[in-house]
Amino acid sequence: MMMKRILRAPDAYPLALLLAFVGGYLDAYTYITRDGVFANAQTGNMALMALRLARGEWADALHYLVPIAAFALGIFGVREARYHMRKKGRSYHKIALAAEILILVWVSFIPQGAMNPLANVLVSLVCALQVGAFKTIGGQAYASTMCTGNLRSATEHLHDYLRSKNPAALTRSMQYFGVILIFILGALLGGLITPPLGTHSTLICCAALLIALIVVKNPS
């Protein structure tokens, strides 16, 4: 019974892998269908925005600023939801997952072209909800929508294991490398599935998030 509760916790490793798959998939989706924008990697969008500004391409720079602002708004919203839900003694994790599903269903019906900025805003909002609500694996910080920090943590724990031979450090390292691998797999499948399905390919993520919504248990 205790093991089942652990596997259903908001910071359970299987859930982290599922969310990493969604994170990688959505990056591929927005890049392919929504004007080459990375909805998850706001660092990349910031760099691309700066390059457009350096060239004097003001309209194109705004194109990247919009998802950045949407991501920040999503993080703010998660924090606000967390504040109110904790006052009521309730969890916000299921609410975040349900909101992600509803938004991605909406995105799947937004046509490509002039409406791409709206789609990018919504996907960036989804990623912010996810990374804001699910931040740890067994108490250790991680990110399901980007991998730079995960790669750092994986390498640091691997170094610690090689120096100390502590098996816990090796376990942590392999967990982080596993998240990175699943993120890449999600991006790979997103790259394969998105071209034939087009905008509707976000429904694949909805299916994965629905599993998460069913499985995750609100902490008591």
Side-chain angles (χ1 to χ4, degrees):
M1 189 69 177
M2 178 63 70
M3 180 59 67
K4 183 177 180 181
R5 186 178 300 113
I6 292 173
L7 291 175
R8 295 178 62 191
D11 65 347
Y13 187 57
L15 179 62
L17 294 179
L18 193 59
L19 296 178
F21 171 85
V22 172
Y25 190 103
L26 288 177
D27 252 352
Y29 169 82
T30 55
Y31 188 83
I32 292 171
T33 65
R34 306 297 184 179
D35 300 329
V37 169
F38 291 114
N40 297 345
Q42 301 307 319
T43 301
N45 287 333
M46 290 175 188
L48 291 171
M49 180 180 67
L51 289 174
R52 299 300 187 275
L53 290 173
R55 297 173 186 170
E57 300 169 353
W58 309 107
D60 288 342
L62 181 62
H63 168 75
Y64 291 100
L65 178 61
V66 172
I68 294 171
F71 188 91
L73 180 63
I75 293 296
F76 188 90
V78 168
R79 296 292 290 184
E80 189 68 9
R82 179 184 179 186
Y83 172 77
H84 288 289
M85 297 302 288
R86 281 191 168 182
K87 286 179 66 175
K88 298 178 181 179
R90 298 168 60 188
S91 171
Y92 57 94
H93 297 93
K94 283 185 174 289
I95 292 175
L97 289 169
E100 287 185 56
I101 293 169
L102 292 175
I103 293 170
L104 288 177
V105 169
W106 180 11
V107 170
S108 73
F109 291 100
I110 297 176
Q112 290 178 259
M115 298 295 287
N116 282 348
L118 173 60
N120 285 329
V121 164
L122 293 173
V123 175
S124 292
L125 185 59
V126 164
C127 295
L129 290 172
Q130 182 165 301
V131 77
F134 299 90
K135 299 187 288 187
T136 60
I137 307 172
Q140 298 289 313
Y142 93 111
S144 62
T145 63
M146 57 203 81
C147 285
T148 303
N150 295 335
L151 181 58
R152 181 206 65 216
S153 296
T155 307
E156 286 177 348
H157 285 295
L158 179 60
H159 171 271
D160 293 347
Y161 169 73
L162 293 175
R163 285 295 185 183
S164 67
K165 303 304 179 184
N166 182 352
L170 180 60
T171 297
R172 286 295 185 191
S173 178
M174 292 301 102
Q175 284 182 334
Y176 281 111
F177 277 123
V179 168
I180 293 169
L181 180 62
I182 295 301
F183 182 94
I184 294 172
L185 177 62
L188 174 63
L189 291 179
L192 294 173
I193 296 172
T194 296
L197 292 185
T199 61
H200 297 307
S201 68
T202 57
L203 297 177
I204 301 295
C205 292
C206 292
L209 291 169
L210 181 60
I211 294 172
L213 179 62
I214 294 171
V215 169
V216 71
K217 179 179 176 61
N218 285 334
S220 56

